[in-house]
C-alpha cells in the first residue's frame, strides 16, 4: 500500500480518470469520433424503441452506418465497443424483464390491497385469501391455490429428480465405462431436448386417464403425475450440473483415497460426494428451479380450476400451478385479470432468480474451496 | 445387475453361498420386471400368469424372496456362509429400512383405525423405530437382511392371504374423492419391495462389509441408469409408433405425384408426396397437413438465431478477451445465469408486455422471434464463453508475439479455435428453443388450423413505404403458427376437432412426431458435431 491510496474511493477514481485520459490521448481522433457517434446513435435508438416511436429507425440506421464505417476504418476500437454493447445487452434484457413485469402487475396489487394496523399493504389479500374468481362477485385474484399447486408439483418433482439425478451423475462421472457413458450421456441430453408439450401430450393421453381410473377420482388431472413428469424433465438439469461438480473434484483426492485400500464406492461416499457436496446441491437447486418454471406439461395435464385441494395433501387432484394459470388464461384475460397473471409471473421470476443466484453462490464457494480458478 | 461388477475377489468364494444370494438377486429382478409390466398393463392384476392368479403369485414370490435373504443372513451369522460383515449395517441402511416400515405401520394403522387418525402414525413410529434398531444394532449380516426380509414376507403375506386382493379398494375418505386400488398398490408395493430386497441381496452377494456395500450400491446405480435410458427409449418409440399412421396418410411415391417446387426459376415435380408435411388445411384438400406450422417454426428459429448468436458471441468475446474481472463482469455472469433459469412463460409475459405494443399491437412472428432470441441468448453466451476459455493461452501469446493487435488475435486465432464449441452450443440451444411453446403462446401464435395459403413468406414480404420506418414486412407482423403451438392447440381443442380432419388423434400424434423429429435432429447434429470435433482433437 502506497501513500497515494490512503483514500481508496478517490484513489481508484483518479486512477480511472488518468487511465481514460491516457486512452483518449493514444487513440486516433477519427476512431474516437466514430465510436462516440455510434454509441450515441445506439442509445438514441434504444430510447426511441422504449418510447414506442416510429422514428426509431433513424438513429438505428445511423448506428448501422457508423458501425459499418468504423468496421472498415477503425476495426480494433469498433469491435471493442460493439462487443461491450453486446455484453451490456444481457444486463439490459434482465433489467427490462424486471421493469416490465413488475410494472404490469402493479394495478392488481393496489386492487387487492389490505389494511393491516392502519397501514395499506398492496397485494396482501392475494396471499391471505384463497379465492380466485375473475367473473362473479366478489372478484378476487388470490395466488394461494396456485402457489400451493406449484409447491406440491415441485416437491414431488424434486423427490423424483434429486436422488435419480445424483445417482445418474455419479454413474456418468465415476462408474460407467467409457462405452456405456457414450450412450447414456447423449441419452440424458435428448431427454432434456424432448419438447415439454410432448411430455404433456403423452401425460394427457396416457397417464391422466390411467390415474383417474386407478385412484377413482372425479375427472382427470393429478398433481402426483404432473410432479413425476416434471421431475423427469428436471432430471437432465440435475444430472449435467451434478456431473460437472463431481468431475471437478481433483483426481489426486480420489487416488489418495483408493491408495489406502478403499472400494470405489467408499471413495465416492467419503471423498467425492462430500467434496462436491455444494456443487451437487446447486444441481438439485437448479433442478428445483426448472421444475417451478415448467409450463406446458402442467397446463395440458392439470384441471385448470384454481382452488386448493381438499385436504391439502390430496395429490390425486391437480388444480392449477402458477405457470399453467398464465398459459391457460392469457387468451381471454384483460384488465385486472391479465395483471394478476403478471403477478404470477413475478412470483415465478423472483423465486427462480433467487434460486439461480443462490446456486451460483454455492458453486462459487465450492470452486474456491477446491482451490480451482474462481 | 450385480454380475456386471463381479470381480475376481468375489468369484473366488464358494459356489453355494453365491448361488443363494444370486437367486435372491435374480428373483428381485424378476419381481421388478413383473411390477413394471403390471404398471404398463402388460400383466393385469385380475388376470393369471402361467395358470396362477397374479396377486397370490407375486405374494408367494415375495415370501420366497424374503425367506431367501433372511436364510442367507442367519447362515452368515452362524458361520455357515463365509462373509466379511462389518459390526453394524450403518446409518444409511438403518434409515432406509425404517422408512418402509414406518409407511407399512401407518398404512396398517390407517386401514384398521380409519385414515387421518393418530393411531396409524403412532403404529408407524413404533414399527419404524423397531426396524431402525433391528438394522443398526446387530452385526451387519443380520441387520441388513432381517428387517428387509421381514418386510418382503409381510408384503407377500398380505398379497397371498387376499387381504389385498385384485378387487381391493381403499377409499381415503377425503373431501375430494380418491381411493387407492389394487391396480396401483400391488405393483407399487412389489416395485418398492423388490428394489429393497434386491439391494440387500446384492450386498449379501458381495459378502457384506465394504465390498458388499459397493456391490449393493452399484446394483442400484446401474438399475437407475438403465431405467433412465429405458424411459427415453419408451418415450421415443411410443411417439414414433403412434405418429407414423397420421404422418403417412395419403403418402405416395412415384414419378410426378408430388407438388411442384420452384427454385431459381426451375420447377421440379417431387417424386414423393407426403401430404401431412406438404399441405396446409383447406376444405378441398384430400389430406390435411401442417406445412404452415413447419415453415413458421423454421422462420422462428432463423430469426432467434440471427438475433441471439451475434449478441451472445460478441458478449462472450468481450467477457473472455477484453474485460478485466470486476463488478461488471460479475454482474453480467449473474444476469446471464439468471436469464438461463428464467421460466419460459415469464419470457412470454415479457414479450407480451414489451414487444407486442412496439410491433403493431398484435401477435406477430417478429415478436415470437425476438422472445425466443432472448431465451437463446444466455445459452449461446454460456457455451461460447466456455469454448473460448478452453482455448489455450499459448495460442494468444504466440499470436501477440507476432505483433498483431488484440482484435486480429481474436479474429484469426481465438474464434477459429473456439468455433467447434460455439457451433455445438448454438445447435443444442436451437434444439431447445425450437420446441418451446410457452413463450410463443403469448407473443406469436395464431389459430388451431392454418390454411396452406397462410404459409409465411418472409423474403417475399419486404416492402418499402413512404412513412417511417420506411421498410415494412407484413409477413413478419402477422400471427402465424409453429409446431409446438399447433400441438398445444390441437390438444386443447379436444373433441371439436372432428369436422376438420378425418382422424384427429392420428393428426395430433403425427404433429407430435414431426415436432420431435425437428427438435431431435438439431440435437443429433449437435451431439454428432461435438463427438466429431472431440475425436478430431484427440487424434491431432
Amino acid at each position: 500500500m502506497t501513500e497515494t491510496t490512503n483514500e481508496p474511493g478517490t484513489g481508484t477514481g483518479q486512477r480511472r480518470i488518468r487511465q481514460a485520459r491516457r486512452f483518449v490521448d493514444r487513440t486516433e481522433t477519427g476512431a474516437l469520433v466514430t465510436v462516440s457517434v455510434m454509441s450515441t446513435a445506439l442509445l438514441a435508438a434504444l430510447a426511441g424503441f422504449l418510447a414506442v416511436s416510429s422514428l426509431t429507425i433513424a438513429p438505428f440506421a445511423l448506428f448501422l452506418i457508423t458501425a459499418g464505417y468504423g468496421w472498415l476504418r477503425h476495426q480494433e476500437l469498433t469491435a471493442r465497443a460493439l462487443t461491450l454493447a453486446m455484453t451490456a445487452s444481457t444486463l439490459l434484457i434482465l433489467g427490462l424483464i424486471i421493469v416490465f413485469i413488475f410494472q404490469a402487475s402493479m394495478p392488481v396489487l393496489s386492487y387487492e390491497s389490505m389494511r393491516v394496523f392502519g397501514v395499506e399493504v398492496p397485494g396482501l389479500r392475494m396471499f391471505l385469501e384463497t379465492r380466485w374468481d375473475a367473473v362473479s362477485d366478489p372478484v378476487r385474484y388470490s395466488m394461494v391455490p396456485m402457489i400451493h399447486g406449484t409447491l406440491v408439483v415441485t416437491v414431488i418433482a424434486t423427490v423424483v429428480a434429486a436422488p435419480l439425478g445424483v445417482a445418474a451423475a455419479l454413474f456418468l462421472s465415476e462408474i460407467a465405462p467409457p462405452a456405456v457413458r457414450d450412450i447414456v450421456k447423449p441419452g440424458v441430453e435428448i431427454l432434456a431436448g424432448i419438447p415439454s408439450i410432448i411430455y404433456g401430450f403423452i401425460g394427457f393421453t396416457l397417464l391422466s386417464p390411467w390415474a383417474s381410473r386407478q385412484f377413482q377420482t372425479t375427472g382427470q388431472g393429478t398433481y402426483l403425475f404432473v410432479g413425476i413428469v416434471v421431475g423427469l424433465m428436471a432430471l437432465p438439469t440435475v444430472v449435467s450440473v451434478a456431473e460437472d461438480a463431481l468431475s471437478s473434484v481433483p483426481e489426486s483426492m480420489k487416488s489418495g483415497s483408493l491408495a489406502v485400500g478403499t472400494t470405489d464406492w467408499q471413495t465416492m461416499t467419503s471423498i467425492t460426494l462430500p467434496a462436491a457436496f455444494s456443487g451437487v446441491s446447486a444441481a438439485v437447486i437448479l433442478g428445483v428451479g426448472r421444475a417451478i418454471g415448467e409450463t406446458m406439461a402442467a397446463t395440458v395435464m392439470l384441471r385448470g380450476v384454481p382452488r386448493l385441494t381438499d385436504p391439502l395433501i390430496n395429490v390425486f387432484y391437480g388444480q392449477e400451478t402458477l405457470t399453467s394459470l398464465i398459459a391457460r388464461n392469457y387468451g381471454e384475460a384483460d384488465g385486472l385479470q391479465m395483471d394478476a397473471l403478471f403477478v404470477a409471473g413475478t412470483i415465478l421470476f423472483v423465486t427462480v432468480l433467487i434460486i439461480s443466484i443462490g446456486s451460483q453462490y454455492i458453486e462459487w464457494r465450492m470452486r474456491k474451496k477446491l482451490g480451482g480458478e474462481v | 445387475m450385480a454380475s456386471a461388477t463381479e470381480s475376481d475377489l468375489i468369484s473366488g468364494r464358494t459356489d453355494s453361498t453365491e448361488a443363494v444370494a444370486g437367486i435372491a438377486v435374480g428373483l428381485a429382478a424378476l419381481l421388478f420386471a413383473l411390477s413394471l409390466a403390471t404398471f404398463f398393463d402388460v400383466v393385469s392384476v385380475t388376470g393369471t400368469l402361467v395358470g396362477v392368479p397374479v396377486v397370490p403369485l407375486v405374494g408367494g414370490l415375495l415370501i420366497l424372496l424374503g425367506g431367501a435373504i433372511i436364510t442367507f443372513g442367519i447362515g452368515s451369522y452362524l458361520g455357515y456362509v463365509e462373509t466379511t460383515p462389518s459390526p453394524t449395517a450403518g446409518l444409511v441402511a438403518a434409515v432406509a429400512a425404517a422408512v418402509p416400515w414406518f409407511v407399512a405401520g401407518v398404512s396398517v394403522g390407517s386401514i384398521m383405525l380409519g385414515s387421518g387418525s393418530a393411531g396409524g402414525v403412532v403404529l408407524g413410529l413404533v414399527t419404524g423405530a423397531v426396524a431402525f434398531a433391528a438394522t443398526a444394532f446387530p452385526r451387519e449380516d443380520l441387520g441388513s437382511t432381517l428387517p428387509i426380509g421381514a418386510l418382503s414376507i409381510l408384503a407377500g403375506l398380505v398379497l397371498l392371504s387376499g387381504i389385498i386382493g385384485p378387487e381391493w379398494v381403499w377409499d381415503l375418505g377425503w373431501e375430494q374423492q380418491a381411493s387407492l386400488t389394487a391396480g396401483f398398490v400391488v405393483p407399487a408395493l412389489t416395485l418398492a419391495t423388490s428394489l429393497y430386497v434386491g439391494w440387500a441381496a446384492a450386498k449379501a452377494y458381495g459378502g457384506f462389509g465394504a465390498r458388499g456395500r459397493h456391490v449393493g450400491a452399484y446394483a442400484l446405480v446401474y438399475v437407475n441408469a438403465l431405467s433412465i435410458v429405458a424411459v427415453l427409449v419408451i418415450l421415443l418409440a411410443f411417439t414414433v409408433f403412434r405418429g407414423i399412421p397420421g404422418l403417412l396418410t395419403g403418402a405416395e411415391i412415384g414419378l410426378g405425384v408430388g407438388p411442384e417446387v420452384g427454385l431459381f426459376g426451375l420447377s421440379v415435380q417431387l417424386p414423393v408426396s407426403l401430404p401431412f408435411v406438404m399441405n396446409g388445411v383447406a376444405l378441398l384438400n384430400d389430406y390435411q397437413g401442417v406445412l404452415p406450422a413447419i415453415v413458421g417454426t423454421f422462420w422462428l428459429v432463423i430469426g432467434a438465431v440471427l438475433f441471439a448468436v451475434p449478441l451472445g458471441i460478441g458478449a462472450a468475446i468481450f467477457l473472455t478477451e477484453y474485460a478485466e474481472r470486476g463488478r461488471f463482469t460479475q454482474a453480467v455472469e449473474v444476469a446471464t445465469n439468471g436469464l438461463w433459469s428464467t421460466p419460459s412463460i415469464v419470457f412470454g409475459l415479457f414479450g407480451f408486455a414489451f414487444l407486442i405494443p412496439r410491433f403493431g399491437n398484435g401477435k406477430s412472428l417478429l415478436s415470437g422471434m425476438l422472445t425466443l432470441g432472448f431465451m437463446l441468448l444466455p445459452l449461446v453466451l454460456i457455451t461460447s464463453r466456455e469454448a473460448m476459455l478452453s482455448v489455450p493461452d499459448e495460442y494468444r501469446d504466440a499470436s501477440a508475439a507476432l505483433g498483431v493487435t488484440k482484435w486480429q488475435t481474436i479474429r484469426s486465432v481465438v474464434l477459429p479455435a473456439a468455433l467447434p464449441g460455439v457451433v455445438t452450443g448454438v445447435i443444442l440451444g436451437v434444439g431447445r428453443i425450437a420446441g418451446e411453446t410457452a413463450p410463443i403462446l403469448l407473443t406469436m401464435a395464431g389459430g388451431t388450423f392454418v390454411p396452406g395459403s397462410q404459409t409465411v413468406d418472409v423474403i417475399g414480404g419486404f416492402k418499402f413505404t413512404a412513412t417511417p420506418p420506411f421498410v415494412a414486412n407484413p409477413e413478419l407482423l402477422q400471427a402465424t403458427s409453429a409446431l409446438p403451438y399447433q400441438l398445444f392447440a390441437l390438444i386443447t381443442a379436444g373433441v371439436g376437432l372432428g369436422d376438420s380432419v378425418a382422424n384427429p388423434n392420428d393428426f395430433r400424434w403425427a404433429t407430435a412426431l414431426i415436432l420431435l423429429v425437428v427438435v431431435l435432429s438439431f440435437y443429433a447434429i449437435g451431439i454428432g458435431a461435438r463427438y466429431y470435433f472431440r475425436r478430431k482433437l484427440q487424434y491431432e
Side-chain angles (χ1 to χ4, degrees):
Chain A
M1 285 286 140
T2 53
E3 280 177 342
T4 48
T5 54
N6 264 348
E7 288 164 310
T10 52
T12 48
Q14 278 169 356
R15 210 173 56 227
R16 286 263 165 77
I17 293 169
R18 255 205 320 279
Q19 270 179 349
R21 196 168 292 156
R22 215 179 321 148
F23 173 74
V24 171
D25 287 345
R26 271 198 212 148
T27 320
E28 287 172 65
T29 331
L32 272 182
V33 171
T34 314
V35 169
S36 320
V37 173
M38 188 176 86
S39 349
T40 322
L42 187 61
L43 286 178
L46 180 67
F49 190 66
L50 286 178
V52 203
S53 157
S54 62
L55 290 172
T56 309
I57 192 80
F60 191 69
L62 181 65
F63 162 73
L64 286 182
I65 292 166
T66 42
Y69 172 78
W71 189 259
L72 294 175
R73 295 295 301 275
H74 312 285
Q75 207 177 75
E76 181 77 24
L77 193 66
T78 311
R80 195 171 175 159
L82 278 178
T83 53
L84 174 64
M86 288 162 170
T87 313
S89 70
T90 57
L91 281 176
L92 183 74
I93 291 172
L94 192 71
L96 285 175
I97 291 180
I98 295 174
V99 169
F100 273 86
I101 66 171
F102 271 88
Q103 195 190 28
S105 54
M106 278 307 157
V108 77
L109 285 181
S110 60
Y111 171 76
E112 292 279 3
S113 61
M114 229 176 157
R115 202 169 266 285
V116 183
F117 301 122
V119 185
E120 196 83 4
V121 183
L124 188 63
R125 203 167 57 198
M126 301 181 99
F127 302 97
L128 291 183
E129 288 183 2
T130 60
R131 177 186 166 86
W132 168 284
D133 198 324
V135 185
S136 50
D137 267 340
V139 172
R140 288 285 180 271
Y141 303 104
S142 169
M143 288 289 138
V144 175
M146 276 64 81
I147 293 176
H148 168 253
T150 298
L151 199 69
V152 172
V153 168
T154 308
V155 166
I156 296 171
T158 312
V159 169
V160 173
L164 302 190
V166 173
L170 264 180
F171 178 76
L172 286 177
S173 125
E174 309 290 321
I175 297 176
V180 180
R181 192 176 184 278
D182 277 350
I183 298 172
V184 178
K185 200 172 157 58
V188 171
E189 273 171 328
I190 289 176
L191 209 54
I194 299 178
S196 61
I197 187 72
I198 289 186
Y199 279 103
F201 186 37
I202 292 177
F204 173 78
T205 45
L206 289 186
L207 297 182
S208 290
W210 190 86
S212 165
R213 211 169 54 239
Q214 294 298 347
F215 301 125
Q216 303 188 341
T217 59
T218 24
Q220 290 182 7
T222 84
Y223 283 140
L224 182 65
F225 278 61
V226 175
I228 292 173
V229 169
V230 169
L232 199 61
M233 297 167 68
L235 188 70
T237 308
V238 180
V239 175
S240 65
V241 181
E243 197 209 338
D244 282 348
L246 288 171
S247 47
S248 76
V249 174
E251 198 57 45
S252 55
M253 285 168 80
K254 300 174 199 165
S255 321
S257 159
L258 288 171
V260 188
T262 60
T263 60
D264 286 344
W265 179 248
Q266 278 176 319
T267 305
M268 275 176 240
T269 50
S270 47
I271 304 292
T272 316
L273 269 179
F277 183 76
S278 35
V280 172
S281 38
V284 173
I285 295 174
L286 280 177
V288 170
R290 279 266 164 240
I292 292 176
E294 185 41 57
T295 312
M296 294 325 291
T299 310
V300 176
M301 289 173 71
L302 289 178
R303 289 156 192 261
V305 184
R307 57 163 284 193
L308 291 171
T309 56
D310 191 8
L312 286 180
I313 52 160
N314 192 346
V315 293
F316 303 112
Y317 282 76
Q319 305 296 346
E320 194 83 299
T321 62
L322 287 167
T323 48
S324 68
L325 178 82
I326 304 172
R328 203 187 309 277
N329 292 305
Y330 75 96
E332 62 262 30
D334 55 355
L336 279 181
Q337 193 188 352
M338 193 70 213
D339 301 335
L341 301 188
F342 274 92
V343 174
T346 312
I347 299 172
L348 283 171
F349 178 68
V350 171
T351 317
V352 172
L353 196 64
I354 291 172
I355 283 177
S356 158
I357 293 175
S359 71
Q360 283 177 66
Y361 176 72
I362 293 173
E363 280 184 327
W364 172 79
R365 246 189 28 190
M366 168 178 164
R367 257 176 294 169
K368 211 168 129 184
K369 196 177 78 189
L370 289 179
E373 50 173 327
V374 180
Chain B
M1 226 49 62
S3 64
T5 56
E6 183 179 337
S7 70
D8 293 343
L9 279 173
I10 297 171
S11 56
R13 295 189 298 112
T14 50
D15 286 342
S16 56
T17 8
E18 222 169 66
V20 177
I23 287 171
V25 171
L27 208 54
L30 177 73
L31 279 167
F32 184 76
L34 201 59
S35 62
L36 285 184
T38 319
F39 266 129
F40 286 115
D41 283 343
V42 180
V43 177
S44 166
V45 190
T46 49
T48 58
L49 205 67
V50 286
V52 187
V54 170
V55 178
L57 176 71
V58 170
L61 286 176
L62 281 173
I63 294 175
L64 199 64
L65 186 60
I69 194 72
I70 288 180
T71 314
F72 191 90
I74 294 176
S76 160
Y77 185 72
L78 297 178
Y80 294 120
V81 179
E82 197 183 317
T83 54
T84 53
S86 309
T88 166
L91 196 64
V92 176
V95 173
V99 170
W101 272 106
F102 172 75
V103 174
V106 171
S107 315
V108 171
S110 303
I111 291 175
M112 291 196 311
L113 305 168
S115 67
S117 68
V121 179
V122 171
L123 187 62
L125 284 175
V126 171
T127 51
V130 170
F132 185 90
T135 310
F137 295 122
R139 212 171 74 175
E140 189 189 14
D141 44 6
L142 285 186
S144 68
T145 54
L146 280 188
I148 287 175
L151 184 77
S152 179
I153 290 178
L154 175 71
L157 282 177
V158 165
L159 295 185
L160 192 63
S161 65
I163 296 177
I164 294 185
E167 306 298 337
W168 182 82
V169 175
W170 177 31
D171 190 338
L172 292 167
W174 282 341
E175 191 66 29
Q176 282 177 311
Q177 204 256 320
S179 314
L180 292 174
T181 61
F184 171 75
V185 170
V186 172
L189 192 68
T190 317
L191 186 77
T193 315
S194 67
L195 275 177
Y196 264 110
V197 185
W199 176 50
K203 278 203 280 188
Y205 186 83
F208 303 108
R211 205 166 56 230
R213 288 181 201 181
H214 175 93
V215 175
Y218 268 42
L220 288 186
V221 170
Y222 265 91
V223 168
N224 175 46
L226 201 71
S227 317
I228 291 178
V229 175
V231 165
L232 173 73
V233 171
I234 289 172
L235 279 181
L236 295 183
F238 189 77
T239 314
V240 171
F241 181 70
R242 295 290 292 267
I244 287 285
L247 180 64
L248 294 184
T249 327
E252 281 179 277
I253 300 180
L255 276 182
V257 294
E260 278 187 31
V261 178
L263 197 68
F264 305 120
L266 275 173
S267 166
V268 185
Q269 226 179 7
L270 293 178
V272 186
S273 169
L274 201 56
F276 188 76
V277 297
M278 291 174 178
N279 281 354
V281 171
L283 263 183
L284 296 177
N285 275 358
D286 288 338
Y287 306 104
Q288 314 290 9
V290 291
L291 177 68
I294 297 176
V295 177
T297 295
F298 172 77
W299 280 112
L300 203 55
V301 166
I302 297 272
V305 165
L306 284 181
F307 172 79
V309 169
L311 273 186
I313 294 180
I317 290 176
F318 186 84
L319 286 175
T320 39
E321 306 296 324
Y322 286 122
E324 292 167 26
R325 283 204 60 86
R327 291 248 175 81
F328 179 67
T329 54
Q330 237 167 16
V332 171
E333 265 168 39
V334 171
T336 312
N337 286 325
L339 280 179
W340 180 79
S341 44
T342 298
S344 51
I345 190 82
V346 174
F347 278 104
L349 280 176
F350 171 60
F352 181 83
F354 178 63
L355 294 175
I356 287 196
R358 284 164 180 78
F359 295 122
N361 254 329
K363 295 183 177 184
S364 63
L365 179 59
L366 188 59
S367 306
M369 286 172 172
L370 286 179
T371 312
L372 285 187
F374 292 147
M375 276 194 78
L376 183 59
L377 176 63
L379 287 168
V380 174
L381 209 170
I382 292 171
T383 45
S384 316
R385 186 140 189 243
E386 261 166 29
M388 285 177 204
L389 281 174
S390 67
V391 175
D393 271 345
E394 287 84 6
Y395 285 28
R396 298 187 180 90
D397 296 346
S399 167
L402 295 174
V404 299
T405 61
K406 194 154 193 171
W407 172 245
Q408 276 167 318
T409 304
I410 295 170
R411 216 176 60 166
S412 36
V413 175
V414 178
L415 278 185
L419 198 63
V422 174
V423 170
T424 316
V426 168
I427 296 172
L428 290 179
V430 165
R432 191 182 176 100
I433 59 156
E436 278 291 351
T437 319
I440 56 173
L441 208 61
L442 283 88
T443 52
M444 190 191 93
T448 312
F449 286 113
V450 188
S453 57
Q454 275 183 28
T455 308
V456 284
D457 176 16
V458 172
I459 295 175
F462 276 106
K463 284 190 201 108
F464 292 99
T465 56
T467 51
F470 304 115
V471 190
N473 190 339
E475 295 281 345
L476 277 178
L477 295 180
Q478 265 174 12
T480 181
S481 194
L483 282 170
Y485 176 77
Q486 179 114 25
L487 180 57
F488 174 66
L490 287 172
I491 296 172
T492 46
V495 283
L497 219 56
D499 304 340
S500 313
V501 286
N503 190 340
N505 233 356
D506 277 1
F507 197 80
R508 282 188 197 133
W509 280 105
T511 313
L513 177 59
I514 287 288
L515 173 62
L516 196 68
V517 167
V518 168
V519 170
L520 290 192
S521 51
F522 281 114
Y523 271 80
I525 296 170
I527 293 171
R530 188 176 59 201
Y531 194 69
Y532 169 78
F533 285 128
R534 196 174 290 159
R535 293 284 294 266
K536 220 173 131 190
L537 282 178
Q538 269 173 4
Y539 285 119
E540 269 172 8

